[in-house]
């Protein structure tokens, strides 16, 4: 089962204050919160196993989040347009 959603990043979100002046980016913890909000509740309670952030997410971007069950773990992928910006897993990676 795959759950997908799109989130438009607001231009004036308070988390941009000081993160980083002149070059605003969405903090990684905010991306993880959005991933958990996108996932079914029982999945979102699982512990984070790993996350990799490979490109910045900026004000006004549309973030596509996909969460997929993969055995005992749940993987996620985040994209802006066709560019992957983050991926990872939560839950049990090994039974």
């Amino acid at each position: 089962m795959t759950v997908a959603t799109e989130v438009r990043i607001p231009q004036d979100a308070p988390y941009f204050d000081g993160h980083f002046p002149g070059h605003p980016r969405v903090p990684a913890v905010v991306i993880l919160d959005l991933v958990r909000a996108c996932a079914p509740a029982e999945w979102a309670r699982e512990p984070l196993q790993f996350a990799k952030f490979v490109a910045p997410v900026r004000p006004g971007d549309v973030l596509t989040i996909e969460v997929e069950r993969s055995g005992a773990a749940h993987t996620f992928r985040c994209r802006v347009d066709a560019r992957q910006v983050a991926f990872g897993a939560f839950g049990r990676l090994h039974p």
Side-chain angles (χ1 to χ4, degrees):
M1 173 178 166
T2 300
V3 177
T5 193
E6 289 186 345
V7 177
R8 180 171 298 279
I9 304 300
Q11 297 279 349
D12 58 351
Y15 48 76
F16 289 124
D17 294 345
H19 202 271
F20 295 93
H23 303 285
R25 301 171 183 200
V26 177
V29 68
V30 172
I31 294 172
L32 290 175
D33 284 347
L34 292 170
V35 168
R36 288 196 184 273
C38 166
E42 65 274 10
W43 297 6
R45 288 190 292 268
E46 296 290 335
L48 180 67
Q49 294 299 319
F50 76 94
K52 180 79 172 171
F53 302 91
V54 296
V57 180
R58 302 185 190 286
D61 282 348
V62 175
L63 183 66
T64 300
I65 302 167
E66 296 175 342
V67 180
E68 181 176 6
R69 183 173 199 119
S70 178
H74 313 291
T75 59
F76 67 88
R77 293 173 300 283
C78 301
R79 292 180 289 107
V80 171
D81 299 321
R83 172 179 54 107
Q84 182 167 267
V85 296
F87 61 92
F90 49 102
R92 293 182 306 143
L93 292 177
H94 304 288

